[in-house]
Amino acid sequence: MSASVVNRTEVPILAGELWLVPDVTEFGDAFNPSSGEIIARVPLCGAAQVDQVVQSAKQAFVTWSQTPAPKRAAILFAYKAKLEAAFEELATLITRENGKTREEARGDVRRGIEVVEFACGISHLAKGETLPQLAEHIDGVTMREPIGVCAGITPFNFPAMVPLWMFPLAIACGNTFVLKPSEKVPLTAVRLAELALEAGLPAGVLNIVHGGRDVVDALLTHPDIAAISFVGSTRVAEHVYVTGCRHGKRVQAAGGAKNVMVVMPDADPDPTIRAIVGAAYGCAGQRCMAGSVLMGVTDAVIRVRDRLAAAVDGLLVDDTVSNPSAQMGPVIDATARDRILKSIQEGVASGAKLICGAGGAVPERGFFVRPALFDDAHPEMPIAQEEIFGPVLTMLHSANLDEAIAWANRSSYGNGAVLFTDSGAAARQFTRDIRCGMVGINVGVPAPSAMFSFSGWNRSFFGDLHVQGLEGIFFYTRQKIVLSRWDDSYRRVQGW
Ligand code: NAD
């Protein structure tokens, strides 16, 4: 690790086998959010660097796309072993550049490794279909082929998991890849690529470029890129989808969210409170599957409110690098902190009651926010509608389950929704009527693992085929159908 490129002050790009600091005029700063210290300088690349990495990916595609699937899988097995060996090191890196707690960082790495495990099954996953004798003397066979150079653009909140949602599946399918990690958390991505090379991935199959809007736009418009995978905010997801499609690429673009948790009066209080606290305040609320609105049916919220408030006030908010006991870390940067504090002030101004988060100590250095809990909000208030992406939970009281579902379905987003109940009938109604792509029944964060696709709806996803799972395989391959006729007349012509 000491020789790792992660330890350089200026974060290098990866073009083929070369780690290099590009000749750019602008650099951004990556911080340790727990202390506010700058930990790395990130080159803000542009079209020239994008072309450099795309050309290396394009060249590598010639050989990699012809490499037998079991050989690609063998490298992924070796990669999985490398990731397991570096598990704690990666978790440390994530805590340092993202600020999440040690346990949360471990979860980030574990969920990413699960995608690599799934990708190891590529020899089976990418098989086509056959129908012999679909007409007289005619057999039909489909095959899935790689599509070329694919690019991935990722957010700050899961520095390991989200890049690993993308490139292991893309390269397992025989594509080559350009990763553009969030400029706020570039180090984990660089280490993931370094480990892939150590596992035997040929040079050029995985490349990395850094930066913000300019580099993204250069990727979206580059003629040699076939597909774009994006995860981030809805505003940027829509831009990526529209621009990528206009330039003839297939695009999967996952966006933001405002996820609802509904509590029925028959819900078991202890596990429900634990699940709510985890869903709303885990990763300091910086999860696209975070629960950020809590709807109690009849008196359900009133039953749990005091204990929930005590649990929220009791969370130890601290520097996650130096204090392994911290239960909630900082948010990513000063801009995020100020935006979240402003949303809290606006919630108070709109008439909702702030029952947690008004006071209480947070560390002076770094980018900390006290976990906030609102009661007596209305469904049309901005704190109940807009993504805050911080440790803020808003409680509403609904007359019945129909009303709670109707409120939830007003959202323009459609990532996740959760019901806590002891009733199969309520669970069935919720599952059928809720308009979003990932549903939890007595599960606080219904984020699917690698064998399922991450199925956002509405303005939480732009495109057709979602990331990971079988849709991920379909996204990174295109289908060829071969119809073959071999019949007796041909045999007679040959004189057999
Ligand atoms: P973001 O949209 O600001 O950034 C995501 C990526 O887009 C980064 O790589 C960034 O460099 C790039 N980018 C930023 N502004 C851009 C612009 N104007 N033009 C082109 N590219 C731009 O998101 P973030 O703050 O890093 O992450 C938080 C967001 O991601 C939240 O909205 C969260 O809900 C969402 N998210 C969604 C999922 C999901 O699966 N739906 C998962 C994780 C995070």
Side-chain angles (χ1 to χ4, degrees), residues 154-157 180 183 216 230-233 255-256 288 387 389 454:
T154 54
F156 75 81
N157 65 327
K180 202 300 283 178
E183 65 277 33
V216 170
F230 173 87
V231 175
S233 60
C288 70
E387 181 175 47
F389 217 58
F454 204 89

Side-chain angles (χ1 to χ4, degrees), residues 153-158 161-162 165 180-184 211-214 216-217 220 230-237 239-240 254-257 287-289 387 389 415 438 454 460 467:
I153 300 155
T154 54
F156 75 81
N157 65 327
F158 280 92
M161 181 185 80
V162 175
W165 275 355
K180 202 300 283 178
S182 167
E183 65 277 33
K184 296 174 186 172
R213 181 176 186 137
D214 288 351
V216 170
D217 286 344
L220 296 176
F230 173 87
V231 175
S233 60
T234 288
R235 182 181 58 84
V236 183
H239 166 71
V240 165
R287 282 196 292 219
C288 70
M289 291 298 282
E387 181 175 47
F389 217 58
N415 245 19
M438 291 170 278
F454 204 89
S460 290
V467 293

Side-chain angles (χ1 to χ4, degrees), residues 50 53 57 71 107 116 133 180 214 218 226 340 382 390 409-410 482 485:
V50 164
V53 292
K71 285 199 174 168
V116 179
Q133 191 73 348
K180 202 300 283 178
D214 288 351
I340 295 161
N409 285 345
R410 282 188 202 174
V482 181
R485 177 193 305 226

Side-chain angles (χ1 to χ4, degrees), residues 287-308:
R287 282 196 292 219
C288 70
M289 291 298 282
S292 63
V293 177
L294 183 65
M295 295 181 188
V297 171
T298 64
D299 64 347
V301 158
I302 295 162
R303 287 169 187 232
V304 295
R305 183 173 50 200
D306 290 351
R307 287 165 62 198
L308 178 60

